[in-house]
Each structure stands twice: as structure tokens, then as C-alpha cells.
Amino acid sequence: MWKQPLDVVKANVSSNPRTWIVIGLSVAGIVIVAETQRRRRRSRAQIMLREPFLEPRFDLLPFPQPPPPAARQPLASLTFAISDIFDVKGYVTGFGSPDWAGTHEAATKTALVVTALLKNGATCVGKTVMDELNFGITGENVHYGTPVNPQLQSHIPGGSSSGSAVAVAAGLVDFALGIDTTGCVRIPASFCGVIGFRPSHGAVSMIGVSPNSQSLDTVGIFTRDPSILHHVGHVLLQLKSVETKRPRRLIFADDLFQLSKVPTEKTVQVVTKAIEHLSGFASFIVSADQPPKHMNFSQYVASNVPGLKGFREESVKHQNEIFTLKALSSVMLLLQRCEFKTNHEEWVKSAKPRLGPDASDHVRAAIDSTHENMKTLYKVRTEMRAALQSLLKDDGILVIPTVADPPLKLNTKKRQSSEFNDRTLALSSIASMSGCCQVTIPVGKHKESPISISFIAFHSVDKFLLDTVLDMYSSIQEKVSIASHSSPLPDTNDNLDVSELLKEKGNAAFKGKQWNKAVKYYTEAIKLNMTSATYYCNRAAAYLELGCFQQAEEDCSKAISLDKKNVKAYMRRGTARESLLCYKDAAQDFKHALVLEPQNKVANLAEKRLRELMS
């Protein structure tokens, strides 16, 4: 049947070689078109994957601008997005949960903060994805998908205001709003490499915002530009544009930078260098009646927030004061759970919502919580605010790392993320529990992950903090690119006898509890002999006594690289890591020590203690 037409085609092709060219071009054209369509589909899929916005999209246009010669509105031509926790008239507020959206009616009014932004010339372009019911700090949502972090696509964007942070980081809007409860704006701002601002608690209206925990919830702002933050902050806080500038004192929380593995030349030294030529820092020099510019903040909290004593775990009372901040974060989570239960227990029991694993755990813990110790929780909050007022007054700025660790990889197992949560919430609990204002400032990258530092100022001095960021931001960014790196010490093994003498002097200073002097002697010994595991291990012991846990960990790692059977190095590194709330790594160190010394009682008790902490 088909033989005759095929014979004709063959004959024509044989007699006319151009036919082959036509066929070849046709086939190539088909392949190119197919590949183009495939790439377009892939591109659309990638765009959908990155999309931080919820459907349906909408535009809320700004209120009519006043005619000339009236001044232009401060936010004119700016676009913004909002987390799905803010009411917009005619739309259902989803609160990050399809079941919440399905059991609630469309809002009859728009949230006051959104209206204020529209009145001042900004355009709202839609709502963004958030963690379910404003619980969680990862930004992962099993129902709406996880917005892709533009800075690190295989890692979490941070939550709960993940979509808003991503929308700003991706350049889709000029600024965005989220709600900061336990760090829900500051954490994603750090992970996505943008500016994040948590105003003083109660300073910005929460009318038209679904509550999670009234004592902690605060409207927060994301942006890439400090001047936009300044304008938006002035609008939402209803600040006066003119105010006398105050002198500023920067106070570095040295113990909290111990939690971070980012070198201080990328954080502390960047900020220090940035202020060297700025005006307004006349009182930066420490005097007798001013707080020190470097301090152990955890120790300060332990001494000035007595209500925390009842929340510190008995098993770790012998440990360093960083566990005080772990206790503070525990109080924060208890307070959040109790207030969430008061707000939403009836809905949870009637709607029986389908929640993702993390949100389900949070909600279950909230519903099972009791109100017996609520007065104690509020007492800690009151004491914490008083402690920060005494420290910062109205001209002090506490400098801390925003987060302790880089963002986790997507879909990290819950058990692996437990210590990540503890270390992250220990830092975010400071502003959440004191009600102070805090701003997160990006300071480049470390090992491909965005890093940031945070400035905390006392409650109600938001303008002071916003002005400081505006003044310092460009200087900080300049110093980020030229941050110096300390050179490794030269290896000069010329006189081993001298190094041994220096080690013995270090041992004597250690026995006399002269820890700094011991560090100095051990350091001089290491300069002469960099191959001795004992020198590093001994210096680590002195660092532990000084509370320099990061340095102790580094010295022990060096000692172990030189001597794989150094039990003391494993023990001391385990202690340093536990003090830095790195439970999994600490447990591994104590296990190694037990392999080398099965009868080591200290290692055995430590390993059991850490197993309980991780469970």
C-alpha cells in the first residue's frame, strides 16, 4: 500500500540532492522548536518554584497623591508584599494553612499597617508564603511549597515570614512585611542576605493581624536598602522626622559571637572599623560609669534576670552562662504556646487541621500546655526588659550575631535540626523577651552562606536605631569587601627547649588560675613548636576557663589532628561544643573518649547527658 509513494520519494531524493538538505533543515527545525519549548517549560517551572507569592495575586494601589505643590508621598513608587497573616479587605487571611483559610471568611477590613503604607504612596502586590500558623523558623510549608532562597537555593530561606524575605532578596519588591514572634523576620533576613527590622514590641499596630502570641508578635520589615527601611519605619512608627541625634555606644556581646563559627574579622572587626571615621560615636570610649564595649552578655542576663533560675536544667547548672539564654528561649517558647492556646484552642479542636510535621508538633505542644506558670513567664519578660534598659539606656547598641549557624539544607530531619533550633532561638530570644528593637544587617558571606550581625537598642528608641543603621550601613558594606584575615603564625621550631619551658610556665599560671597569662605562655610555646598536641590541648583548657569556647574547640581540633589518641583533647572539645550548644558533635567527642578510655566516668556521664538533651 505504502510501497509506491515511498519509491517515488526515494527516486526524487536520489535525483535531487537538495531534497536531503530540505529534510535535514526540517528535522533540525523540529528539534530546535522542541528544545525551545522544553526550556520554556523548565523555565516556567523554575519560576513557579521560586515564586514566593500566593494566589490569587492582586494589586492594592496607593491612595491618590496630593496635587502639587504638596510634597510627594514618602513611599511613592515603592512596591511591597505582605505575609499571609495580614488582613486585606475582600480576601481570606490564610495564616499559612489551607484549613485555616477554609474555615474563615474574607476580611472586612484591611490591616492598619497596610493601609498606612498605601496612604503614603506604596503599592501592595500580593501576599507571600509563610510557615503554618506562624510557627517555625525554617520557612518550609508542606501545603504551599517552600520559597527558594535566592542566596542559597538548596537551603531553607528561614521563617516564618519566608515568602516576604525571598520576595525582597529576589528583587521582586522594594520591601515586605512579616511578623516577628520568635525571630520570624530576623532569621529569614539573615539567611536571605537582606535587612530585617523588628520594631519595639507594641510600637506598630497589630490590628488586622492574626495573632500567634500577643506578648511576642511584632510587625517586621524586610528591605535591601537602608533608606527605604528608614522611610517605611518612620511611616509605621509614626516618627517625627527631626530629632536631635544622640551619641552612641556599641557594646559587643563577645560570648554570643562564640556561638558563631564565622571569623570575627567578618563580623566584629567589620563593625569596629566601620565606626572609626563616623561622627556620633564620641562616647564609644569606655568610661567608669558606662558599660564596657566588650562583655559577657549571658553572664549579665544570669545576674540580672533571677526569674530564669527556675528554668535552667539541673544537669547543666555547672556549665557556662550561655545555657542561661537557652533557658530564656525555653521561657519564650512556653509563653508562645500558652498564648497560642488561649487564642486558638477552640479552632484547633473543632477544625482538626491537617498540619505539616513541624507545625503539628508546635500546635500539639501548645494545646497540651498549662497556664499554671504564666505569672512566672511574664515575670521573666519584665526582668529581661529591665535588664536591657539598665544596660543600654537610650544611647547603647548591643551587637550580636543574628544567627549561630548557616541555613540548613532543605528537608533536614527534625533530629538533626534540634541543636540548630536551640542555638538560633537562644539569640533571637533576647529581643523577643525584652521587647527591644533589633535590626539585622547583612555582612557578606562565609563559605557561600550569607552572614549578618544585629544591632539591638532599648524599647521605644526605634528612631535612634534606624538612624544608626542609615548612618553606618554604607561604611559597614565598604569594610565587608576589605575585611582583613589574620595570617597563620610562622612555623619556627628552632628551640624546643624554650618551648617546653614556656609550656611549664603556662602550666604554673594555669594552676594559679591566671588563665590569660597561661594562654599567653602556651601561645608563645606554639609559635616555637606547632607540632605539639599538648600545647594546643593545654591552651584549650585555659580558653575553657575564660569562656572562649570557639578558640578551645579550634585548639582541640588541632591537637586531635596531631594526636588521634589524645583523650583530653576529645574531652575538652566535647565540653567546648556542649557549651556552644552543639550537642551532636559534643556527644561524638565524648564517645571517642570512651572508645579510648572505656572507664572514663566523666565522658560516660557527659555522653548520657547529651543523649537526653538531643531527645
Side-chain angles (χ1 to χ4, degrees), residues 382-605:
T382 301
E383 291 174 350
M384 188 66 187
R385 181 173 296 188
L388 268 291
Q389 181 179 27
S390 177
L391 174 67
L392 301 175
K393 299 181 174 61
D394 64 353
D395 64 346
I397 295 171
L398 181 69
V399 186
I400 68 169
T402 308
V403 293
D405 300 292
L408 296 172
K409 286 190 174 181
L410 292 166
N411 303 313
T412 298
K413 292 181 180 179
K414 181 181 175 184
R415 185 169 182 177
Q416 293 174 306
S417 64
S418 60
E419 71 178 38
F420 168 85
N421 290 340
D422 281 354
R423 287 158 54 80
T424 303
L425 294 174
L427 293 170
S428 65
S429 65
I430 298 169
S432 289
M433 286 299 292
S434 65
C436 292
C437 48
Q438 177 175 340
V439 66
T440 295
I441 301 172
V443 287
K445 290 188 174 184
H446 178 63
K447 296 182 178 178
E448 299 185 354
S449 294
I451 56 175
S452 68
I453 48 94
S454 274
F455 290 170
I456 297 178
F458 183 59
H459 185 275
S460 76
V461 297
D462 299 66
K463 185 180 186 305
F464 167 69
L465 184 58
L466 290 173
D467 288 345
T468 299
V469 173
L470 189 63
D471 289 346
M472 289 190 63
Y473 189 83
S474 61
S475 181
I476 289 175
Q477 299 310 312
E478 286 175 12
K479 301 304 177 185
V480 165
S481 61
I482 58 174
S484 59
H485 297 273
S486 56
S487 302
L489 294 170
D491 186 0
T492 53
N493 299 319
D494 297 333
N495 196 328
L496 297 181
D497 290 337
V498 174
S499 65
E500 276 295 301
L501 179 62
L502 287 167
K503 183 200 76 172
E504 292 303 323
K505 287 186 175 182
N507 291 346
F510 187 92
K511 290 178 182 178
K513 298 184 178 181
Q514 296 175 300
W515 319 123
N516 281 309
K517 200 171 183 180
V519 166
K520 181 180 177 182
Y521 283 127
Y522 293 138
T523 300
E524 291 301 316
I526 289 169
K527 286 180 180 180
L528 295 175
N529 180 8
M530 300 180 72
T531 62
S532 171
T534 301
Y535 297 173
Y536 287 102
C537 192
N538 286 7
R539 188 170 69 173
Y543 275 137
L544 284 175
E545 295 294 340
L546 289 168
C548 298
F549 305 112
Q550 187 181 118
Q551 290 91 329
E553 181 189 22
E554 292 171 356
D555 272 358
C556 289
S557 295
K558 182 65 176 178
I560 291 167
S561 71
L562 295 168
D563 177 7
K564 301 293 185 184
K565 296 183 178 181
N566 193 320
V567 176
K568 288 182 178 179
Y570 282 113
M571 294 287 290
R572 288 167 186 171
R573 189 170 72 174
T575 300
R577 287 174 166 177
E578 183 180 1
S579 299
L580 293 170
L581 308 185
C582 296
Y583 309 132
K584 183 180 177 182
D585 290 339
Q588 288 296 326
D589 281 333
F590 289 120
K591 283 181 182 178
H592 277 299
L594 283 171
V595 170
L596 295 169
E597 285 186 7
Q599 304 304 318
N600 192 311
K601 293 181 180 179
V602 175
N604 187 44
L605 289 172

Side-chain angles (χ1 to χ4, degrees), residues 154-176:
S154 60
H155 293 65
I156 60 172
S160 62
S161 305
S162 55
S164 288
V166 167
V168 170
L172 303 178
V173 290
D174 296 303
F175 67 95

Side-chain angles (χ1 to χ4, degrees), residues 82-207:
I82 55 176
S83 291
D84 192 24
I85 195 170
F86 295 90
D87 287 346
V88 172
K89 184 177 180 180
Y91 293 88
V92 176
T93 303
F95 209 8
S97 164
D99 286 338
W100 179 278
T103 54
H104 287 78
E105 300 293 329
T108 57
K109 293 182 179 179
T110 298
L112 284 185
V113 288
V114 177
T115 301
L117 296 172
L118 298 174
K119 283 182 177 179
N120 282 272
T123 300
C124 180
V125 298
K127 288 192 173 186
T128 56
V129 178
M130 60 177 286
D131 282 5
E132 295 175 86
L133 308 179
N134 199 33
F135 274 119
I137 59 174
T138 66
E140 296 173 296
N141 189 308
V142 297
H143 305 292
Y144 299 113
T146 302
V148 176
N149 184 342
Q151 296 284 337
L152 211 56
Q153 296 184 12
S154 60
H155 293 65
I156 60 172
S160 62
S161 305
S162 55
S164 288
V166 167
V168 170
L172 303 178
V173 290
D174 296 303
F175 67 95
L177 298 186
I179 293 297
D180 191 304
T181 303
T182 59
C184 317
V185 165
R186 292 161 286 165
I187 295 166
S190 181
F191 288 167
C192 293
V194 298
I195 302 171
F197 177 54
R198 174 192 166 95
S200 297
H201 183 261
V204 178
S205 172
M206 291 288 293
I207 295 175

Side-chain angles (χ1 to χ4, degrees), residues 137-390:
I137 59 174
T138 66
E140 296 173 296
N141 189 308
V142 297
H143 305 292
Y144 299 113
T146 302
V148 176
N149 184 342
Q151 296 284 337
L152 211 56
Q153 296 184 12
S154 60
H155 293 65
I156 60 172
S160 62
S161 305
S162 55
S164 288
V166 167
V168 170
L172 303 178
V173 290
D174 296 303
F175 67 95
L177 298 186
I179 293 297
D180 191 304
T181 303
T182 59
C184 317
V185 165
R186 292 161 286 165
I187 295 166
S190 181
F191 288 167
C192 293
V194 298
I195 302 171
F197 177 54
R198 174 192 166 95
S200 297
H201 183 261
V204 178
S205 172
M206 291 288 293
I207 295 175
V209 181
S210 301
N212 177 289
S213 171
Q214 294 93 319
S215 295
L216 305 172
D217 292 341
T218 305
V219 174
I221 306 167
F222 298 97
T223 186
R224 302 179 303 280
D225 187 329
S227 63
I228 291 178
L229 173 64
H230 202 257
H231 288 308
V232 176
H234 272 243
V235 168
L236 295 187
L237 293 159
Q238 301 179 27
L239 299 173
K240 296 178 181 178
S241 57
V242 179
E243 184 179 296
T244 304
K245 285 192 176 182
R246 310 168 191 167
R248 304 173 178 123
R249 292 178 296 110
L250 292 191
I251 305 167
F252 293 93
D254 289 343
D255 58 314
L256 302 189
F257 281 99
Q258 287 286 321
L259 280 173
S260 172
K261 293 185 178 180
V262 177
T264 57
E265 60 262 26
K266 291 190 174 184
T267 52
V268 175
Q269 291 180 30
V270 163
V271 179
T272 302
K273 290 175 182 178
I275 66 170
E276 287 177 354
H277 304 293
L278 293 176
S279 61
F281 286 86
S283 62
F284 185 66
I285 301 172
V286 180
S287 64
D289 60 346
Q290 293 175 339
K293 64 178 180 180
H294 290 273
M295 69 176 298
N296 185 316
F297 181 75
S298 304
Q299 192 175 65
Y300 177 82
V301 171
S303 301
N304 289 274
V305 186
L308 281 176
K309 291 179 180 177
F311 294 92
R312 292 195 62 172
E313 300 172 38
E314 291 291 333
S315 60
V316 293
K317 278 191 175 178
H318 67 284
Q319 290 290 343
N320 70 301
E321 300 298 343
I322 282 177
F323 279 88
T324 299
L325 291 189
K326 186 188 172 188
L328 183 67
S329 66
S330 298
V331 174
M332 175 180 71
L333 293 177
L334 287 171
L335 182 57
Q336 181 189 28
R337 290 168 184 168
C338 289
E339 292 190 337
F340 181 88
K341 178 178 181 178
T342 300
N343 295 328
H344 305 302
E345 180 179 21
E346 184 178 337
W347 174 78
V348 171
K349 290 184 175 179
S350 62
K352 296 180 173 56
R354 297 160 298 156
L355 302 170
D358 288 345
S360 180
D361 290 345
H362 285 300
V363 170
R364 189 182 303 112
I367 300 305
D368 292 343
S369 64
T370 64
H371 294 72
E372 295 175 2
N373 59 349
M374 285 295 285
K375 288 184 178 179
T376 308
L377 303 180
Y378 289 131
K379 180 185 177 185
V380 170
R381 187 185 62 164
T382 301
E383 291 174 350
M384 188 66 187
R385 181 173 296 188
L388 268 291
Q389 181 179 27
S390 177

